[in-house]
Amino acid sequence: MTLPASTDSDQPIRKSAQRLRWFVQAFEEQAEQTSRETGTRYTVDHGRLAAVFAQWLKDFQAQKPERDEDKPAYVGFAAGLMLRTLIEMKPVSVAALPGGADTTNPAYFWPEGYLYVVFCLNVRGLVLEGDYHGEQHTSALLNETRTWWSFKENVADDPSLAMAFLDLFAGDEPQWSVPHLFRTGRIRGLADRFYKQETLKAVD
């Protein structure tokens, strides 16, 4: 994914991403790239996409940490907030799948969700690398339809679980318990294990 140019070449990527024009351009470029790679044709509702950004920015600002040591972890959290908002507001629809599309492939099993996840992972990884000299190592689960089935079913009931699934796809430890609350350190206790067991729909 090639990120849109910033108006200020010295501006961190995370700052550029907080601008509507940058966000819309980045998302459109991701949709075009994913369409070329998969053959799926997408339709983007720009009114809804702008609403996605406005809601995401509000949620992003609400929990933005002040301590510098918390900011790298907040990158993943912010990407999760974006995925949740995209899933809730549905700015994308599928115009057409390619002939003979294999629906056991995540890209065709849930094409809209696949686009949302790829976009959020790409921006997440580029911000970590460009602004914090970090690396993102995606999980093999990103390509498993069984995991995508669980993902789609669970976020239909609770869109906030998209944040935990994005961590899972990104190769990080998911925060299944109240994933929409930012926590430093991610301490997992009995409540977290209970939440995971009782709430997530398992794949048989």
Side-chain angles (χ1 to χ4, degrees):
M1 178 184 183
T2 302
L3 292 177
S6 170
T7 54
D8 181 352
S9 60
D10 295 326
Q11 187 175 59
I13 299 171
R14 66 184 184 277
K15 295 294 185 181
S16 297
Q18 296 174 49
R19 297 182 177 182
L20 176 60
R21 179 180 295 181
W22 188 98
F23 165 73
V24 170
Q25 185 178 346
F27 189 85
E28 288 179 338
E29 290 179 1
Q30 181 66 74
E32 291 173 1
Q33 179 179 329
T34 303
S35 184
R36 288 193 300 270
E37 293 173 351
T38 65
T40 300
R41 290 194 292 112
Y42 295 101
T43 299
V44 179
D45 184 321
H46 289 87
R48 288 190 182 185
L49 192 61
V52 165
F53 177 80
Q55 183 60 54
W56 170 80
L57 188 60
K58 178 181 178 181
D59 295 339
F60 172 87
Q61 296 289 356
Q63 299 190 60
K64 187 176 179 181
E66 295 183 359
R67 301 194 311 166
D68 287 343
E69 53 265 40
D70 289 337
K71 291 180 179 179
Y74 201 67
V75 173
F77 183 80
L81 286 174
M82 175 56 70
L83 179 59
R84 180 185 71 174
T85 311
L86 286 165
I87 288 173
E88 286 181 318
M89 294 192 169
K90 302 178 176 62
V92 170
S93 59
V94 172
L97 291 175
D102 179 5
T103 55
T104 65
N105 183 322
Y108 306 118
F109 170 74
W110 186 15
E112 301 94 335
Y114 181 80
L115 172 60
Y116 299 154
V117 167
V118 170
F119 171 71
C120 292
L121 282 177
N122 279 338
V123 175
R124 182 186 192 275
L126 289 167
V127 172
L128 286 173
E129 180 180 352
D131 292 357
Y132 297 106
H133 308 291
E135 293 184 356
Q136 177 175 261
H137 302 283
T138 56
S139 169
L141 294 173
L142 182 61
N143 299 313
E144 289 190 5
T145 306
R146 285 165 56 89
T147 303
W148 276 81
W149 183 91
S150 179
F151 172 42
K152 187 176 183 181
E153 289 292 308
N154 280 286
V155 299
D157 293 335
D158 182 1
S160 289
L161 287 173
M163 303 176 69
F165 274 98
L166 189 68
D167 282 339
L168 184 70
F169 291 142
D172 285 349
E173 186 70 17
Q175 180 178 296
W176 299 109
S177 177
V178 287
H180 55 285
L181 296 180
F182 180 68
R183 290 182 288 183
T184 302
R186 298 192 172 188
I187 300 173
R188 300 179 63 182
L190 290 175
D192 189 18
R193 292 197 295 272
F194 174 82
Y195 188 84
K196 181 177 180 180
Q197 293 169 0
E198 297 298 324
T199 303
L200 294 184
K201 294 179 180 177
V203 179
D204 295 327

